[in-house]
Structures are given as structure tokens and as C-alpha cells.
Amino acid sequence: MITNLQTPIDYLKGVGPNRADLLRKELGIHTYQDLLNLFPNRYLDRTRYYKINELQRNSSEVQIIGKITSVKEVAQKRGKRLVAKFQDDTGSMELVWFRSQKWIRDNLKPNRPYVIFGKINWFNGAFSMPHPEMELLEEHKKSLRSAMQPIYPSTEKLNNKGITNRVINTIMQQLFIESKGRFIETLSKPLLSELKLPSKSEALLNIHFPKNQDLLARAQYRLKFEELFYIQLQLILKNLIHKSKIKGFPFNSVGTYFNTFFKTHLPFELTNAQKRVLKEIRADLGSNAQMNRLLQGDVGSGKTIVAFMSMLMALDNGFQACLMAPTEILSVQHYNGLSELCKNLNISIKILTGSSNTSERKEIHESLENGSLQILIGTHALLEDKVKFKNLGLAIIDEQHRFGVEQRSKLWKKNTTPPHILVMTATPIPRTLAMSVYGDLDISIIDELPPGRQAIKTVHRYDKNRLKVFGFIRDEIDKGRQVYIVYPLIQESEKMDYKDLMDGYESIARDFPAPKYQISIVHGKMKPADKDYEMQRFVNGETQIMVATTVIEVGVNVPNASVMVIESAERFGLSQLHQLRGRVGRGAEQSYCILMTGHKLSNDSKIRLETMTKTSDGFEIAEVDLRLRGPGDIMGTQQSGVLNLRIANIVKDKDILQAARYHAKKILNADPTLTHENNQPILYTYKQMSKYKNIWNYIS
Ligand code: ADP
Ligand code: MG
């Protein structure tokens, strides 16, 4: 009999009600299974003995055999430290104690072989080890423990209440004794043999009690693969079920609107990437399934025209379309741009935002319901219950990361048959991450900018060069250009940031005096109407300088603005810097991005600034961002569970992720219902996971 892993942890010998309670509260361990899945954070490798002359400055924890030859006290600023000289046949180093000195001094046995273990420091040209773990060699030989010591995740409370690493280790052993180390296999035989993976039982044994590095590595690989495999399986299944269950409107014909526009009114030649993406969308819309597609494309890559032409496909098939943007300004911009295109085609288009008045609303509501209005642009206002369509065929969301999942699903419900959905984002998400976060969406990528774009010149300047920077700004304004100056606004230090912004504004106002220069200012504390007013003045060219916090980040289009100055640039994340830079370089003129910083910079800040000056490729920047920050902070991923991975890491285990996705796809392609005999372990595991909700934690 294989032990039932859903047994409550209280039943495990050596646990008992108090410990069980703590394990539940502190580590979320409710069952045997949960304990088994508590994987060590790291291991102390005590399989290897180092010689002193082998030590490297970046060695972390090492184990050395040697003798203490002398002990002395050294006075320091506060109190004193105890220093012992420790020697082997290759050299010597120091052992150092700052606490318990008397006890140590009394118990140290000079000139007898010891095994010491601990972290080493490099200071003043010599190695030292503070507070080493020490054991006489003869004792050490007697007490052979498992060679690699696992270190489990823990909390202060657990430690204080006596559930130390050693205790966890003991109850883990108990679990292996009770279950005889036999656990149900969760992957299929063909997978195990094709990928040469160890069995589940073997992997679990070696993750908790590894004999050596090699067995550990194999166990880790298998468990990471398994974790990522089931997430991918889940996402792909969701997508498959979605496609077979949720019927969409088949847009059978590409008709007059599309063709007329394409042949006679297209303002420019489409890039190859735009063409490819349009084909992908066309294929979705022509199938019987509802489209659920994410369109990624860097700022300025030309997503809007793709959105518009997709809407034409809807119109050609007798349906209505809508486009929702996160702010009023953006909606107005879309409306103005698209109205121009619609004029030639005799298409009716309207805009609905928070500031639409009652009579406008009434007219929109009526014409939407009787079908005479074909395209509606707007903000969240589109989601109001009163907004009813006669037959909405396609809903597009711009800058989707600004909207929640809830809002997306509200659009779904605007029709009895859900409309096709296209969400667009200018926040590039590295492929591996997209696979995990949006694995249930289909993804299209515009990875090419329209031709003739001048690269934005990006430079890093220190604060002390501000006068020069201001001189440069003056020259640009004299040439008729406009300038953004952006200040950070981070919630935690809102007050100080606000003061910085105001100080900055005053000094800019002194250096750029009215009436020659006009300045707009926009920040989060202003009323929306005032913000819009200031923004509009800049858009109209009435002001030359826009001083702002990051509110201007999203989508604003002022082609005449050619300089983006980012103050305290070291405090911005990479994706934000990239988004901000995307506000310039939209016209024919050479544009500039100036990153201002103080002198003291952290390593990460330096990497961010270097990345910005080196490349303008949003995907490359996103990769660096992901490496620096991990997936937790990347936009749009907060809600999704990719952070709750137990053992795999999206950034470091990219290759395993790719393999997992590949195999999940292959298996589902051949056997979508997982009924083949070979796939029984997979089906069983998948069902178990869904039953105990494990897998749902991963997915939003
Ligand atoms: P984004 O992807 O950031 O939404 P837009 O759709 O606003 O980008 O396009 C940015 C600018 O590039 C617009 O002025 C648009 O008219 C122009 N544009 C888009 N596609 C092309 C193209 N294929 N050739 C030339 N200009 C283009
Ligand atoms: Mg856009």
C-alpha cells in the first residue's frame, strides 16, 4: 500500500498537534503531501574538503581539515574579538569569534585535527571564517550524516518554537520511513524514458536526502520539469477547451470595407510584422472559435492600424466593433486618428468617455442598439451596463495591463455570443514569461518598427551637468520642438517625491521664464479635468515643456515632442524607462532621451542605465528587466501565479520550461483527452491537482 499523502500532518509520528499547528500557519503544510513538497532552499555541501590554498574569494561555505596553532584576543572599537590561527599543510587562515569568547577559549583544543565548516570572508589579503562550526576530526568520522545537508525554508517563529532545520529534517525522515519512500509516479513512462528522468520516488529521495551533487541535479531537473509541465498542460488544455466549447462568430468574408481601405486608403505600406499579425487575426476570426489574442508590440510599432483593420473585418461581416483605452486622452487620440480613416469609408464612429454629456450618451446608446453606430471608442465608460450593442463582434483593449481581468470579462458579456477579443500591449513580455502568464491566450508579436524611424539618442547625464542639459533643451525649443521632464513618484515616498517635483518645476520655471516659455505641469494630485486641460495645452503646442510624474507614461502621442528628460532615472524600473522614452521619437525629427541621475548608483541601476543607452529593443530590455527583478514585478504578471512556483524559476529554468511546454503540447496533440493507457499517470495527477486545487494556485 502506498501511503495516502492527503493524510493530515498531525498524524505523522513526531509532529503532534502543536507542531502541526505551527507548520500549518507558518509554512502552509497541512498534509503529508505538503511536507513532501517543501523543497530545500539550498544545501550545505559537506561532501568536499577544501585545502586552504584552494579557497576562492567567492567561495561560500566550505569545509576544511586543519589545526589551531594559536589563539589571541584583539581589541576593537567596541569590546574585543577572539582570533585563532588555523592551519593545514597548504597554508593558514583565521577563525574569528565576536560572541561566547570565554566558552570557546576554554574549549578549543590546540594542535588537534578539527573539521571546520562555514562561510569565508576575504579581508586585508587573508581569509577568515567567523563563528565556524567545529568538530574534532575523530568525532566527525564517527557521526557520518547525510553528505549534503538540506536547508529548508523557515520562519523566525518556527525557529523560536524549536522547529529547527534539524527537526524538519527528522520529520521528513519519518515521512520516508512511514511511506517506505514509495510514491505514486506522476509522469508517464514514455516521458521518463525519453527524457531520462529519475522516477518520482527517486527524485523525492534525492531532493531531501541527496548523496551527491549529481543525484541532486537530476532530482531537481525532474521536479522542475514536472512542475512546469503541469502548468503548461493546464494552460494548453484551457486553450483547447476554450476553442472547442466557446463558439465565436465566424467572419467568413473579407469584404468591401477591408478591401477598399487596403487598396485605396492605406496611408502607408504595412510592415511585414503587421501583415503577419493581420493574417493571424484573420485566421482566428475566420474559424468557428472565439478569438482571444494578445498583441504585443513595442511603442510606435503600429498596433493601431492593425486594430482598425481587424475592426473592418467585423464590419464587413455585419458586426459592430469597439476599442477601449485606459485614459480619456488616449481614447480621444484614437478617436481622432480613426475618424480620419473612417471618413473615406463612410463608417459611423463615436467616442464615449466619462465626460460625454447626457445627450451624447443617449444618442450613442440608441445608435448602438439599433446598429447604426458601427465603431465605438472609449474608456471604462464602455463597460457600463447601459452600453448595449446590437451585435458586437470584436472588442479591442489597448494597453491591457492597465485593465484588470474583471474588466476584460465584462466585455465578453456584452453579447450572448462573446465577441472576439484582441488585447494590445506595448509592454513587451519575454516569451518564456508570456508562455506562463498568458499561456491560455494566443500571442501575436509586432517585432519591427515602421521604416524611416530615427533611433532615439539616449544619454546618461549626472545632475551636476544640469546647466548643459538645460542649454540643450533651450536649443531644441528654439527649433520649435517640445520637451518632457519627468519626475519619479513612488507611493512610499510620495511626499518627498511631490516636493522634488515642485522644486524641479520652480527651477525650470526660473530657467525658462514666461512669456517666452510656457510650461505644463501634470501630477497625480490634480483633478482629472485639470490634468486633461494641462495635457491638452501641451498636445496643442501651447506649452513647450511638460513637467510631469509618470502619468504621461501611457500612449500619449505628441509627435513634435523630441526630448524626454527623466529625473532621478536610477529610481525607475527598466520597463518604465522604456515606456517613457517611447513618448518621443514619434515625429520626423531626431529625438533624445536624457537620463539624469545623482552620482551614487547601485549595480542594478548601472545595468539599467547602460541597457537603456545601449538598446531600444523592447524585448531585449524586458529580458534584462526579468533577470534583474525576477518575474514578480514585471507588469501584468502580479495577479498570475507564476511567482508561486515551488521549485522551478521562470528566469533560470527557461530551457526546462520550453521542454515542458513542448512535451505538454505533443502529448495533448496526440491524445487531447489523455485517455491513452500511457497517459494515465498524467490524467490521474492532473485530476488530483485540480481536486486539491494545487494547480489553480498557479493560474489567475
Ligand atoms: P503603437 O503600436 O504604439 O500603438 P501606433 O499605432 O500609434 O503605435 O503607430 C505609431 C505611428 O506609426 C503612428 O503615427 C502610425 O500612423 C505610424 N505607422 C504605423 N504603421 C506604420 C507603417 N507601416 N509605416 C509607416 N508608419 C506607420
Ligand atoms: Mg498605441
Side-chain angles (χ1 to χ4, degrees), residues 40 74 106 237 267 272 281 293 320 335 339 341 357 382 441 456 486 526 566 609 614 625 654:
V74 179
D106 293 347
L237 263 175
N272 286 329
I281 293 173
R293 189 170 278 279
Q320 295 165 301
Y335 175 71
S339 301
L341 301 176
N357 64 35
L382 296 193
L441 295 182
I456 300 166
V486 178
M526 292 163 72
I566 304 177
L609 294 164
K614 198 183 78 195
D625 202 24
K654 221 154 114 173

Side-chain angles (χ1 to χ4, degrees), residues 311-348:
M311 293 201 250
L312 294 183
M313 295 183 206
L315 268 50
D316 272 333
N317 287 273
F319 291 94
Q320 295 165 301
C322 71
L323 168 61
M324 183 165 80
T327 63
E328 172 130 14
I329 298 236
L330 263 183
S331 305
V332 172
Q333 252 171 30
H334 276 314
Y335 175 71
N336 290 340
L338 297 185
S339 301
E340 272 309 303
L341 301 176
C342 285
K343 251 185 218 154
N344 302 320
L345 299 164
N346 250 328
I347 291 172
S348 61

Side-chain angles (χ1 to χ4, degrees), residues 474-661:
R474 207 165 284 124
D475 292 346
E476 283 292 299
I477 294 178
D478 287 346
K479 283 192 232 159
R481 307 284 111 73
Q482 288 164 285
V483 177
Y484 293 104
I485 303 181
V486 178
Y487 286 81
L489 187 73
I490 319 281
Q491 260 152 8
E492 296 93 72
S493 53
E494 197 175 332
K495 258 193 194 144
M496 270 190 41
D497 283 345
Y498 184 69
K499 187 175 173 296
D500 286 352
L501 173 76
M502 283 311 170
D503 290 352
Y505 173 75
E506 274 164 27
S507 96
I508 292 160
R510 268 196 307 277
D511 274 284
F512 297 89
K516 180 162 184 218
Y517 300 99
Q518 297 290 324
I519 306 174
S520 286
I521 178 163
V522 172
H523 57 79
K525 288 197 176 172
M526 292 163 72
K527 291 200 195 92
D530 296 341
K531 257 194 249 178
D532 282 354
Y533 172 77
E534 286 287 312
M535 204 84 113
Q536 208 54 55
R537 290 208 309 148
F538 189 69
V539 173
N540 298 343
E542 293 159 30
T543 59
Q544 297 95 6
I545 300 177
M546 159 69 79
V547 177
T549 53
T550 40
V551 282
I552 56 152
E553 193 186 324
V554 175
V556 185
N557 190 22
V558 182
N560 191 47
S562 67
V563 183
M564 166 63 67
V565 180
I566 304 177
E567 295 285 348
S568 304
E570 71 272 26
R571 293 179 51 197
F572 288 86
L574 259 180
S575 72
Q576 234 180 350
L577 290 173
H578 180 63
Q579 288 288 318
L580 285 168
R581 177 167 61 182
R583 298 303 109 218
V584 295
R586 309 196 135 223
E589 308 304 330
Q590 174 63 54
S591 288
Y592 305 87
C593 175
I594 305 176
L595 307 168
M596 304 290 300
T597 74
H599 247 287
K600 272 203 177 153
L601 295 173
S602 70
N603 270 343
D604 279 10
S605 308
K606 277 184 205 151
I607 295 175
R608 287 198 295 267
L609 294 164
E610 270 162 27
T611 307
M612 284 298 291
T613 51
K614 198 183 78 195
T615 180
S616 56
D617 179 337
F619 284 94
E620 197 179 327
I621 291 174
E623 289 282 352
V624 177
D625 202 24
L626 184 59
R627 252 185 287 130
L628 288 181
R629 295 199 294 171
D633 292 317
I634 306 285
M635 264 183 199
T637 64
Q638 286 91 339
Q639 325 94 309
S640 107
V642 280
L643 329 171
N644 299 339
L645 293 178
R646 262 179 226 295
I647 184 164
N649 174 314
I650 300 259
V651 185
K652 294 187 191 135
D653 302 320
K654 221 154 114 173
D655 297 343
I656 309 180
L657 172 61
Q658 238 128 20
R661 184 169 177 86

Side-chain angles (χ1 to χ4, degrees), residues 268-271 274 298-304 450-451 453 586:
F268 36 68
E269 169 97 12
L270 295 177
T271 62
Q274 285 170 321
D298 223 333
V299 271
S301 61
K303 294 184 290 295
T304 317
R453 280 294 157 76
R586 309 196 135 223

Side-chain angles (χ1 to χ4, degrees), residues 247-302:
K247 295 271 170 281
F249 303 115
F251 292 176
N252 294 318
S253 52
V254 169
T256 326
Y257 285 128
F258 189 96
N259 285 329
T260 313
F261 180 76
F262 188 71
K263 286 190 192 123
T264 45
H265 301 300
L266 199 61
F268 36 68
E269 169 97 12
L270 295 177
T271 62
N272 286 329
Q274 285 170 321
K275 284 183 202 161
R276 188 189 64 236
V277 167
L278 269 169
K279 270 191 205 142
E280 289 165 357
I281 293 173
R282 164 82 191 103
D284 279 5
L285 297 178
S287 80
N288 281 317
Q290 183 228 14
M291 174 171 80
N292 216 356
R293 189 170 278 279
L294 171 71
L295 172 55
Q296 286 194 56
D298 223 333
V299 271
S301 61

Side-chain angles (χ1 to χ4, degrees), residues 49-66:
Y49 298 91
Y50 283 78
K51 293 288 185 189
I52 292 178
N53 71 354
E54 282 176 326
L55 297 180
Q56 304 276 330
R57 278 160 77 163
N58 55 3
S59 313
S60 49
E61 278 138 335
V62 295
Q63 177 168 253
I64 310 167
I65 303 176

